[in-house]
Amino acid sequence: MARERILSGMRPTGRLHIGHLSVIENWVRLQEEHECYYFIADWHALTTAYDDPSELQENIRSMLVDWLSAGLNPERSTIFVQSHVKEHAELHLLFSMITPLSWLERVPTYKDQVQQLGQEGKDISTYGFLGYPLLQAADILIYRASAVPVGEDQLPHLEFCREVARRFNHLYKVPLFPEPKALLSRVALLPGIDGRKMSKSYRNDIPLGATPEEVREKVRLMITDPTRIHKSDPGHPEVCVVHTYHEIYNREEIEETRASCRAGAIGCVACKRRLADRVNEVLEPLRERRQRLLQRPELLQDILHAGAARAREVAGSTIAEVRAAMGV
Ligand code: TRP
Ligand code: SF4
């Protein structure tokens, strides 16, 4: 396979949890063979969190530590913070000249989110939030990336990005922007420990940086089959959160776990203990890397600094061509 240019980003909304691990593992695989750009979308975070930026810097740092501990390698990938590369903002501005308002208003998630967050008391009927997909298009197109690993929820944004690329190329009669494709990967959907969607704000998550004790405690609190009162009661693994986790973290023993649950041969306490051990095994190498990183705060700064410098080179040459095309 030719070395493709890959780009993706995440909003720094707080510590990552084990549900994010498969996403980052996919990024890690991609960096082995491709030219990858991974960035922390701090401007995008401000589109909804504009009224409380107090945690933004800490969230950026913690996201970087999470990424690196999960195996992103700054020698292979260009890792940076969006706001350190001002060219994204210039391209966003120039794109805003050619983007019909109606395209932004009909992005499927837009009206829903304004309404939903409005009900929660948050006003995001702002210019910045409307322009969210356009800034995202600038993020992608400024590197002329050919593929963008994202979740399904981002497909409308990718489609929008391709429309912007087409419109630019058409208006200025230059094939400047390739149309990026989405790279959908099968990501394991992990529920939170209470069975709802895993989220930091529900406090039902297992943070990537959890200590072994925290993992054991979170697993201990997981919802199991409510009809099982005694250890000998036959269980129903299909309704049990612990079982869902065994399917991902303990595949080798899944048949046996299921069978002993159904037969009432294993108690939930023991079943959870096995799971916690497996999760801890997976997180152990991340913990070691995290410890080493936290001892060297200047290293984190250096990584972001070097990443932004590399990103700026590519972004700068694109923006020069854009300016020329648009006569500025
Ligand atoms: N909107 C993305 C999300 O919420 C984050 C993002 C911003 C992004 N810019 C991007 C993802 C560019 C991929 C490419 O997940
Ligand atoms: Fe869930 Fe395991 Fe208890 Fe069965 S034994 S209900 S799979 S925790």
Side-chain angles (χ1 to χ4, degrees):
M1 219 194 311
R3 253 169 81 84
E4 278 192 279
R5 191 175 282 167
I6 308 268
L7 170 131
S8 199
M10 275 186 207
R11 281 171 303 138
T13 48
R15 60 170 196 223
L16 296 183
H17 53 63
I18 58 172
H20 295 117
L21 193 53
S22 57
V23 176
I24 306 174
E25 282 170 345
N26 186 41
W27 289 13
V28 170
R29 270 193 303 279
L30 288 166
Q31 77 182 351
E32 302 303 324
E33 300 198 9
H34 301 290
E35 183 187 343
C36 293
Y37 294 77
Y38 297 125
F39 73 97
I40 298 173
D42 57 343
W43 280 330
H44 276 115
L46 277 183
T47 60
T48 52
Y50 59 86
D51 53 348
D52 181 17
S54 60
E55 290 175 5
L56 189 56
Q57 292 309 314
E58 177 48 31
N59 287 345
I60 291 172
R61 203 188 69 103
S62 108
M63 175 161 274
L64 178 64
V65 172
D66 283 332
W67 283 6
L68 299 172
S69 71
L72 279 198
N73 179 351
E75 317 246 304
R76 281 187 176 273
S77 299
T78 301
I79 299 171
F80 62 100
V81 175
Q82 182 184 37
S83 67
H84 295 179
V85 185
K86 308 282 188 257
E87 287 79 355
H88 292 224
E90 184 175 348
L91 188 58
H92 177 215
L93 175 90
L94 292 173
F95 278 165
S96 78
M97 309 300 169
I98 68 165
T99 305
L101 211 43
S102 59
W103 289 13
L104 284 161
E105 286 163 347
R106 68 164 195 246
V107 170
T109 47
Y110 176 67
K111 288 202 174 100
D112 283 356
Q113 277 186 311
V114 171
Q115 215 186 14
Q116 203 198 323
L117 288 176
Q119 279 162 4
E120 293 167 20
K122 169 136 233 167
D123 181 9
I124 50 165
S125 55
T126 56
Y127 175 66
F129 189 71
L130 178 67
Y132 185 116
L134 191 60
L135 179 58
Q136 181 163 351
D139 295 335
I140 299 168
L141 295 175
I142 199 146
Y143 301 101
R144 293 182 254 193
S146 58
V148 186
V150 281
E152 267 193 56
D153 61 315
Q154 295 293 312
L155 291 180
H157 289 170
L158 253 286
E159 184 52 38
F160 174 84
C161 173
R162 285 190 289 270
E163 282 173 34
V164 173
R166 274 199 293 275
R167 182 163 168 89
F168 184 98
N169 294 346
H170 171 77
L171 272 173
Y172 304 108
K173 301 184 179 51
V174 276
L176 190 59
F177 295 115
E179 291 183 29
K181 62 173 190 280
L183 285 182
L184 288 175
S185 62
R186 270 179 300 120
V187 288
L189 254 200
L190 272 183
I193 63 171
D194 57 1
R196 292 188 291 170
K197 179 177 183 258
M198 193 185 305
S199 158
K200 187 186 60 144
S201 49
Y202 294 159
R203 293 160 181 261
N204 64 358
D205 64 323
I206 301 181
L208 274 186
T211 62
E213 297 70 42
E214 280 163 351
V215 169
R216 274 195 287 276
E217 181 60 11
K218 292 276 186 170
V219 173
R220 194 181 67 78
L221 294 172
M222 274 182 190
I223 304 260
T224 59
D225 174 1
T227 65
R228 268 195 109 192
I229 312 225
H230 305 291
K231 181 178 149 182
S232 54
D233 294 340
H236 306 86
E238 55 293 342
V239 301
C240 175
V241 172
V242 180
H243 170 256
T244 308
Y245 275 68
H246 271 291
E247 281 183 323
I248 291 161
Y249 288 102
N250 198 10
R251 278 220 75 78
E252 311 85 73
E253 291 180 331
I254 189 69
E255 295 305 332
E256 197 231 296
T257 306
R258 248 181 235 148
S260 11
C261 173
R262 289 205 176 100
I266 182 175
C268 294
V269 174
C271 186
K272 286 178 165 179
R273 207 177 298 129
R274 272 194 208 169
L275 174 65
D277 287 345
R278 292 291 295 117
V279 173
N280 274 326
E281 265 171 51
V282 170
L283 292 185
E284 198 46 39
L286 279 76
R287 282 187 196 116
E288 284 165 20
R289 281 196 287 265
R290 178 182 301 271
Q291 277 318 317
R292 265 181 276 138
L293 287 165
L294 292 178
Q295 282 158 14
R296 302 190 52 200
E298 75 294 347
L299 180 66
L300 299 177
Q301 289 308 318
D302 290 350
I303 288 171
L304 291 181
H305 201 84
R310 270 217 305 270
R312 231 177 271 130
E313 273 178 42
V314 180
S317 82
T318 302
I319 204 76
E321 290 187 51
V322 170
R323 285 186 203 130
M326 294 181 80
V328 272

